[in-house]
């Protein structure tokens, strides 16, 4: 849909405010757009994104529902809805939304990242890791993708793969707290397993 220059300027202003973490101000700008353009898809999508960033999940759900009423083929709205549902750990419906987003915009690394995470947590672990590997192949220097992939490997007890992925994330972003914390958890897990193995071994010797 084509908008006049003032609407386009307001959408850009809201995007800048969002990038600066000024979500409340961005929300006000987007709401002002919807007063004059009640079917502005981009405004609803941005509104949903800003509500997500400010942890107003119910309002995000309402905004994204409206976006999908305006355009059921909006991959961004399906992606954001899927992300919201994954935050609620509603894995089944999250996978449904993210699958729609992937069908509309295939080979998008961020959509595949979220889809892989949701699929993994829906107990389709091999497929989830495969999707995350596809996401990594498309965007190999994204620490968020690497950390999600590493956590899935770690939870699947594939510790060598997890360690390699976490260390790669730290090479890319040495300041990544997420990667550092994940690596610390992995080391603690490995230490606990080593201790358990040692106890089992000494126990068998005692018998």
């Amino acid at each position: 849909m084509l908008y006049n220059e003032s609407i386009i300027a307001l959408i850009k202003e809201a995007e800048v405010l969002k990038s600066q973490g000024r979500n409340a101000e961005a929300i006000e700008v987007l709401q002002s757009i919807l007063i004059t353009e009640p079917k502005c898809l981009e405004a609803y999508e941005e509104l949903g994104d800003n509500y997500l960033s400010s942890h107003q999940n119910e309002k995000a759900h309402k905004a994204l529902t409206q976006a999908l009423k305006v355009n059921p083929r909006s991959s961004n709205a399906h992606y954001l809805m899927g992300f919201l549902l994954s935050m609620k750990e509603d894995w089944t419906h999250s996978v449904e939304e993210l699958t729609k987003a992937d069908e509309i915009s295939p080979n998008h690394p961020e959509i595949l990242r979220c889809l892989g995470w949701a699929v993994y947590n829906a107990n389709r672990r091999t497929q989830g890791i495969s999707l995350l590997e596809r996401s990594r192949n498309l965007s190999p220097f994204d620490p968020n993708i690497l950390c999600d992939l590493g956590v899935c490997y770690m939870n699947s007890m594939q510790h060598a793969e997890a360690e390699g992925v976490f260390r790669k994330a730290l090479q890319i972003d040495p300041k990544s707290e997420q990667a550092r914390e994940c690596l610390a958890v992995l080391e603690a897990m490995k230490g606990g397993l080593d201790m358990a193995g040692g106890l089992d071994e000494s126990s068998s010797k005692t018998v």
Side-chain angles (χ1 to χ4, degrees), residues 98-131:
L98 291 165
T99 298
K100 290 175 186 174
D102 180 53
E103 288 170 352
I104 297 164
S105 297
N107 297 320
H108 189 294
E110 177 60 15
I111 292 172
L112 285 171
R113 175 179 82 91
C114 292
L115 178 58
W117 180 258
V119 166
Y120 183 91
N121 283 286
N123 290 320
R124 288 148 57 189
R125 294 191 160 196
T126 301
Q127 185 186 0
I129 287 174
S130 176
L131 286 163

Side-chain angles (χ1 to χ4, degrees), residues 1-12 32-33 36-37 40 42:
M1 185 174 177
L2 297 175
Y3 305 111
N4 62 44
E5 289 184 6
S6 63
I7 296 295
I8 294 170
L10 286 170
I11 292 171
K12 288 181 178 178
S32 73
I33 293 171
T36 56
E37 287 285 353
C40 181
E42 290 82 356

Side-chain angles (χ1 to χ4, degrees), residues 25-57:
E25 294 170 68
I27 288 167
E28 287 184 10
V29 172
L30 294 162
Q31 287 172 334
S32 73
I33 293 171
L34 291 169
I35 292 170
T36 56
E37 287 285 353
K39 291 189 176 181
C40 181
L41 173 65
E42 290 82 356
Y44 283 119
E45 290 176 341
E46 286 293 315
L47 198 55
D49 201 0
N50 277 279
Y51 280 136
L52 278 171
S53 297
S54 51
H55 309 290
Q56 300 181 66
N57 291 348

Side-chain angles (χ1 to χ4, degrees), residues 76-96:
N76 192 36
H78 281 298
Y79 157 71
L80 290 168
M81 184 68 86
F83 182 84
L84 171 60
L85 291 166
S86 74
M87 289 173 62
K88 295 181 176 182
E89 298 187 2
D90 183 351
W91 302 117
T92 299
H93 292 108
S94 176
V95 168
E96 287 176 3

Side-chain angles (χ1 to χ4, degrees), residues 147-164:
C147 286
D148 281 3
L149 177 60
V151 169
C152 290
Y153 274 133
M154 180 168 63
N155 290 341
S156 296
M157 306 302 287
Q158 294 175 258
H159 291 162
E161 290 84 352
E163 182 174 355

